[in-house]
C-alpha cells in the first residue's frame, strides 16, 4: 500500500535522495525546505503526488501553521523522515562560533522535536506510522572538531530511542539511520562554501551517496509490519567509525 511520506530538508542531499526513492516506490510526498523555488523544481521532476511546504524547521510557529493547515487528503502522514540538519565549522570547542552552535542545536535537535511533536500524535491516534530520524555516526562518539555537531547527533540517537520506548505499546515503528561519510553538499555547508576544503574530505575514498542512505530508509519503511529496523549504521567500505578513514 502506498504511503504519504513527509520529508524535511528535502531540497538537497539525503533528503532529496529520499524524495526520489520514495517517489519511485509510488508513495505520495510532502516535502519541506527553506527554498520555495527549489521545492517547485523538485515537484515537477517527481512522478508522484507532491505537496511542498516552504519553511525552516527552526521556525516552530510556522511549522505548526503549515501542519495544522494541511488539506484533509494530506493529513494522514504514514512516514515522517526527520532529515533536516547540518554541521557548521570544525573549530575546537573553546574556539567555536556561538551562532553556529545555536543553528545546529535549533535545527538538528529542536527542529526534529518540533516535527515529531506535530506529526506523531496523529500516528498514535491511528495506531500506525513510522518515524525515520537521520542521525549520524557522529552520534556514537565525538571526533576532532565535531564537538557540538556530534552532541546534536548523540541527542538524535537518545531522542529516537526514547520515542521508540514511548510508542512501544502501539504499532508505530521508529528508526535511526546513522550515515558515515556521505558526499552531498553537507561539507560545503559546514565550510561555508569553501569547496576546496570540502572536497578534501572525500579524497582517496569512495564515499556514500545520498541514494545509499535513501535505499535504507525505503527498505525500513517497507519492512513487514512486525519488523522494526531500529538503528542502522551505514559506512563507506574504508571507513571504520567516525574518525578512522583509510584513504588510498
Amino acid at each position: 500500500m502506498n504511503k504519504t511520506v513527509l520529508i524535511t530538508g528535502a531540497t538537497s542531499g539525503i533528503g532529496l535522495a529520499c524524495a526520489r526513492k520514495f517517489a519511485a516506490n509510488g508513495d505520495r510526498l510532502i516535502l519541506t525546505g527553506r527554498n520555495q523555488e527549489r521545492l517547485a523544481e523538485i515537484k515537477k521532476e517527481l512522478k508522484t503526488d507532491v505537496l511542498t511546504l516552504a519553511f525552516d524547521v527552526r521556525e516552530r510557529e510556522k511549522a505548526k501553521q503549515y501542519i495544522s493547515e494541511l488539506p484533509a487528503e494530506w493529513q494522514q502522514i504514514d512516514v515522517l523522515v526527520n532529515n533536516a540538519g547540518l554541521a557548521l565549522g570544525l573549530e575546537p570547542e573553546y574556539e567555536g562560533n556561538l551562532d553556529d552552535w545555536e543553528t545546529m542545536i535549533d535545527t538538528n535537535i529542536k527542529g526534529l522535536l518540533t516535527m515529531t511533536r506535530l506529526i506523531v500524535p496523529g500516528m498514535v491516534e491511528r495506531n500506525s506510522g513510522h518515524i525515520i530520524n537521520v542521525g549520524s555516526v557522529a552520534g556514537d562518539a565525538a571526533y576532532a572538531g565535531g564537538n557540538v555537531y556530534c552532541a546534536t547527533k548523540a541527542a538524535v540517537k537518545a531522542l529516537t530511542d526514547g520515542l521508540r520506548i514511548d510508542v512501544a505499546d502501539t504499532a508505530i515503528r521508529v528508526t535511526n539511520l546513522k550515515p558515515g561519510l556521505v558526499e552531498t553538499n553537507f561539507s560545503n555547508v559546514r565550510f561555508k562554501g569553501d569547496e576546496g576544503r570540502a572536497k578534501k574530505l572525500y579524497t582517496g575514498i569512495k564515499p556514500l551517496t545520498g541514494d545509499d542512505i535513501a535505499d535504507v530508509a525505503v527498505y525500513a519503511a517497507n519492512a513487514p509490519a512486525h519488523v522494526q529496523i531500529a538503528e542502522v549504521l551505514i559506512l563507506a567500505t574504508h571507513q571504520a567509525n567516525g574518525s578512522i578513514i583509510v584513504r588510498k
Side-chain angles (χ1 to χ4, degrees):
M1 181 177 175
N2 298 129
K3 302 177 178 68
T4 298
V5 182
L6 189 155
I7 305 169
T8 66
T11 57
S12 64
I14 293 171
L16 177 55
C18 284
R20 288 170 173 158
K21 293 284 185 177
F22 277 106
N25 192 57
D27 297 314
R28 310 163 73 225
L29 302 177
I30 302 173
L31 305 181
T32 86
R34 293 174 293 175
N35 188 325
Q36 177 63 68
E37 291 183 6
R38 183 69 184 119
L39 286 169
E41 291 172 0
I42 295 165
K43 180 176 181 176
K44 288 180 181 179
E45 170 199 335
L46 299 177
K47 294 178 174 61
T48 190
D49 290 337
V50 178
L51 178 68
T52 62
L53 306 176
F55 68 91
D56 190 322
V57 294
R58 294 180 295 170
E59 301 172 304
R60 183 186 305 167
E61 292 305 315
K62 189 170 287 189
K64 287 170 64 176
Q65 177 186 342
Y66 274 108
I67 299 304
S68 67
E69 295 177 356
L70 282 173
E73 66 272 22
W74 289 95
Q75 289 179 5
Q76 181 171 319
I77 296 166
D78 302 299
V79 181
L80 168 63
V81 181
N82 276 317
N83 165 74
L86 76 168
L88 294 170
L90 269 176
E91 299 84 6
E93 193 169 320
Y94 58 87
E95 295 178 351
N97 182 300
L98 291 168
D99 290 334
D100 287 349
W101 290 355
E102 187 168 355
T103 298
M104 287 187 282
I105 291 167
D106 286 353
T107 305
N108 301 359
I109 302 176
K110 293 164 70 176
L112 178 148
L113 281 170
T114 293
M115 297 306 296
T116 299
R117 182 64 182 85
L118 292 173
I119 303 301
V120 176
M123 294 181 175
V124 172
E125 184 177 342
R126 296 186 302 273
N127 193 35
S128 175
H130 194 159
I131 302 92
I132 300 175
N133 291 334
V134 179
S136 172
V137 64
D140 288 345
Y143 56 74
N147 44 73
V148 174
Y149 173 70
C150 294
T152 66
K153 290 303 184 177
V156 170
K157 173 175 171 51
L159 292 170
T160 307
D161 291 346
L163 180 61
R164 194 180 303 110
I165 293 167
D166 291 338
V167 299
D169 62 337
T170 75
I172 296 169
R173 301 183 295 185
V174 185
T175 300
N176 183 19
L177 300 184
K178 304 192 300 184
L181 192 66
V182 184
E183 188 168 12
T184 63
N185 67 336
F186 175 88
S187 294
N188 296 71
V189 172
R190 169 169 247 167
F191 300 127
K192 300 180 179 178
D194 187 336
E195 291 190 12
R197 192 177 178 192
K199 286 181 180 178
K200 285 182 180 179
L201 287 181
Y202 310 112
T203 300
I205 186 172
K206 184 174 177 59
L208 301 168
T209 67
D211 284 346
D212 296 324
I213 311 308
D215 282 337
V216 182
V218 173
Y219 173 80
N222 288 279
H226 70 287
V227 177
Q228 179 170 213
I229 309 298
E231 184 172 289
V232 184
L233 174 63
I234 312 136
L235 301 176
T237 297
H238 295 292
Q239 179 177 14
N241 56 32
S243 57
I244 305 299
I245 298 172
V246 178
R247 302 177 190 276
K248 298 184 177 181

